[in-house]
Structures are given as structure tokens and as C-alpha cells.
Amino acid sequence: MSSEREAAKAAFLKAHGFGDVRRQPLGGDASTRSYERLHREGGQSFIFMDQPPALESVVCPPNATDAERLALGYNAAARLAAGSVAAFVATADYLRQRGLSAPRIHAYDVAQGLAVLEDLGDGLYATLIAEGQDERPLYEAAVDLQVVLHAETPPDVLTVDEVRWPLLTYDALALKHATDTFLEWWPQFAGIPAFTPEAVAEWDALWAPVWVRGEAGASVFTHRDYHAQNLLWLPERKGVARVGLLDFQDALRAHPAWDLTHLLQDARRDVSAVLEAAMLDRYLTARPSVDQGAFIADYRALAASNAARILGRVFARQALLGRRQYEAFMPRTWRYLERNLTDPALADLKAWFDRYVPAEARR
């Protein structure tokens, strides 16, 4: 970190009444963000988020054309928030207004990419389950939270104070651009030939109806990265407020199946087919107006698209950049993808993978 950035952080903390805290760096992820836990005398703690704006590409202007989005880069094409503090604080307020446990924002500076947040603790779903806690009540609460969010149509713009952040649609271009990263990164990682133009054309034709259905069904607020590493268990709270929410700044308006695909086909931990089926049944029972057959078909198709995205953009790309720890998650993600491709409606996509990505190239 540059001395200029550290000076800006220290000045921000001092200006907002946190100049005397003890600062404890926290582990990061593959993003450009970093976090610290701030400790005050007496035991109170906070989370300090640092997202240098210059480290990310441009976000998607609300009215940008497809060509303009592609020209601006991955964040604009895929409609990612680029770690924007504006997106984080506006989305946190939207969630908190609904009684949900997003962190309270104690101070922020959008231009500098800095914020001090409520500390929701260390009780990540993934950690607690690994330590032996019963996973089912946690997943039930996470599914119930989805039901609450899906009961209303979200606004086009999220606002808090002077901050306005558009809640864009997870459209066909964003879905395609993300899924297509499998074509770019998997051959490089697996050591297989680049896909031929014929294979790519077939890929596009097979996935296009899935992406169209994803956009057509985009009707609810979607966290977008809703899995056990981004959910905290807060047992002292009530109902769905027991689910603490993190890393939601990339939220969009999307298909109601989208967050469930992340939760129930978690790339970082095994979710059994039995638990997956039980939680889908719980969700659909709570929403009797939803066409169950159509929903499950969309869920399987979008989950397959998401698995291809994760294998390409997230895991293969990161492994090629030297972050080899992501290789441990690849076999699980392939199992999820293969589980989805057993749906007869996806038989042609299964045949594509069988033809162009042989078993020895799936690792």
C-alpha cells in the first residue's frame, strides 16, 4: 500500500472519530478490497473497508448500449459494481430498511472508497458448519430471507443520503459475458486446444435461450454472491434477521433462482442434492404462485451457466494468476455442473461439454 493511501485512510478515520482505534488487518479474497477490524478501548469493534476506486474498471452506465458496455470492459459488460462504496452503502440501506442484517454504515467516503461498518462478528456459515453446527437451520433461514426479498418488486434506484445507485438488470449480455469466460480461461488452465469457431458458435446457440430466460425472469432484488462465505449467523436476532449479509455491492435485479443457485450449489463447500432439494421445496412452498416446473428448469439452466462462469472467470483465471488455492474448488464445481446437465432439457449442452471438454480435462 502506498504511503499516500495510508495517509488518506488515517485522515478519514480521524475525521470520523476513529483516530484512536487499534487497527487489525483481516484476510482478503480475490477482490481489490481490503478490510481491517477497528478496536476501541472498552471492547467495541468495527470493520474498516478500503476499496481504492482506481483499481477497478468502469462500471456500467445505466443507459449504455451493449457495444458501449463491451468497450468499457468486464465490469460494465457483466454489470458489476467494481467494489463501489456507493453501491455498498445504498444496498446496505435498502436491506436494513427491510429489517435484514446488513451492516450499519457508521462513516463513508464514496470518492475515496472508504467506509466504517458495523462489525457483525465472525460467525460465517461456512465456519460454523465446518465446526459441526447443524447446517439445516442456517440454510432454512437463508432461504426464508430470499422469500422475504422476493415478495416485493425492487426500485430502479437505491438511495441513501445523497447517494444514488441504479439497480440494473442481470440481462442476457451480462449472463453471456460471464459464462463465456469459460471459453477464454478453461482451455488455458486445462491444457486443451482453444475452442474452434464452430464450437463457440454451437455454445452460443445452446446457451442463448438460457440467457434470454434469465433476463425475462429478472424481477427481484438479488444479492448475486449469496453463499456460505458471505452469510453470518446471528442467533441473538429474530427470524430472517439472524442471517447477516456481506459482500452485496454487486446486487442487481435478477431471476429469483439466481441467489439460490449460489446458496445451494456453493463452489466452496459441498451442498448435498438432498439438502438442495429440500431447500428448493421450502422456497417454492412459501411462494405458491410460482410455477414450480418452470422455476426448477430455470434454476438448473442458470446454475449450469453460473458453474461455467465460476470455473472460467473465478477459478481458472485465478489459478493462472498464481492463486493455486482455487484449484481445490474445481472438482466440486464440475460436480454441480454435471448435476445440472442431467436435466433432459440441457441434454444438448451436456453433449457439448462431453464433446469438447473430456473427463480428463475436468479437474
Side-chain angles (χ1 to χ4, degrees):
M1 179 191 305
S2 71
S3 58
E4 292 83 0
R5 185 64 180 172
E6 178 53 38
K9 291 169 67 174
F12 170 85
L13 290 172
K14 183 177 180 180
H16 292 282
F18 295 94
D20 60 348
V21 297
R22 178 171 62 85
R23 296 168 58 181
Q24 173 194 357
L26 299 177
D29 54 20
S31 75
T32 54
R33 290 183 305 279
S34 63
Y35 295 93
E36 299 175 35
R37 180 166 273 131
L38 308 179
H39 299 271
R40 275 183 170 157
E41 290 187 12
Q44 191 176 18
S45 63
F46 306 86
I47 299 298
F48 184 27
M49 181 171 69
D50 175 15
Q51 173 60 72
L55 296 183
E56 290 278 357
S57 63
V58 178
V59 299
C60 180
N63 298 316
T65 66
D66 287 0
E68 289 168 340
R69 287 163 61 186
L70 291 170
L72 288 170
Y74 188 82
N75 283 333
R79 288 187 161 168
L80 290 164
S84 168
V85 167
F88 191 93
V89 299
T91 305
D93 183 73
Y94 176 82
L95 294 167
R96 288 182 56 80
Q97 289 293 330
R98 278 141 191 84
L100 304 178
S101 293
R104 185 183 302 277
I105 311 298
H106 293 284
Y108 65 91
D109 186 314
V110 168
Q112 293 195 86
L114 299 171
V116 176
L117 322 173
E118 176 186 8
D119 186 354
L120 294 177
D122 295 316
L124 290 173
Y125 271 37
T127 302
L128 296 177
I129 294 168
E131 292 173 349
Q133 186 157 332
D134 184 1
E135 66 184 359
R136 186 163 184 130
L138 277 63
Y139 275 85
E140 289 176 346
V143 168
D144 293 348
L145 187 150
Q146 289 289 298
V147 173
V148 169
L149 279 174
H150 297 176
E152 64 177 295
T153 300
D156 294 332
V157 179
L158 307 180
T159 62
V160 59
D161 302 328
E162 302 301 316
V163 175
R164 293 172 55 83
W165 187 260
L167 191 70
L168 302 177
T169 296
Y170 207 167
D171 64 1
L173 176 62
L175 288 163
K176 171 180 167 51
H177 202 64
T179 311
D180 282 357
T181 59
F182 180 88
L183 301 176
E184 177 183 2
W185 294 102
W186 193 259
Q188 298 179 55
F189 171 77
I192 59 176
F195 297 114
T196 65
E198 293 76 15
V200 173
E202 187 180 352
W203 167 280
D204 285 343
L206 292 170
W207 282 115
V210 173
W211 300 326
V212 169
R213 283 156 52 195
E215 179 176 347
S219 57
V220 300
F221 176 95
T222 301
H223 179 295
R224 196 172 180 170
D225 209 11
Y226 194 74
H227 57 74
Q229 286 289 121
N230 285 334
L231 302 177
L232 292 151
W233 188 237
L234 307 172
E236 72 283 359
R237 301 189 185 188
K238 302 295 183 183
V240 295
R242 293 174 298 170
V243 183
L245 298 166
L246 303 175
D247 205 18
F248 42 71
Q249 64 280 340
D250 289 317
L252 293 172
R253 183 193 307 264
H255 192 292
W258 190 255
D259 276 349
L260 291 171
T261 71
H262 284 258
L263 179 69
L264 303 177
Q265 295 194 9
D266 190 331
R268 290 167 176 79
R269 68 173 308 272
D270 290 324
V271 178
S272 71
V274 172
L275 181 62
E276 178 188 32
M279 293 303 102
L280 288 171
D281 182 68
R282 183 181 184 90
Y283 175 84
L284 290 166
T285 298
R287 300 194 71 205
S289 63
V290 172
D291 182 321
Q292 296 193 13
F295 183 89
I296 293 299
D298 287 350
Y299 171 89
R300 292 292 174 204
L302 291 170
S305 176
N306 190 43
R309 175 193 69 86
I310 292 170
L311 286 166
R313 173 73 181 180
V314 183
F315 294 162
R317 175 175 171 269
Q318 292 296 334
L320 288 165
L321 291 172
R323 301 183 178 111
R324 309 299 296 191
Q325 67 269 27
Y326 287 93
E327 294 182 42
F329 305 133
M330 291 176 179
R332 177 185 299 113
T333 308
W334 274 111
R335 290 194 296 272
Y336 289 141
L337 176 56
E338 291 162 357
R339 182 192 300 178
N340 295 314
L341 294 178
T342 62
D343 185 333
L346 302 178
D348 289 341
L349 270 168
K350 180 181 184 301
W352 188 97
F353 279 96
D354 290 342
R355 184 158 54 251
Y356 295 114
V357 192
E360 60 271 19
R362 304 179 186 186
R363 56 190 177 94

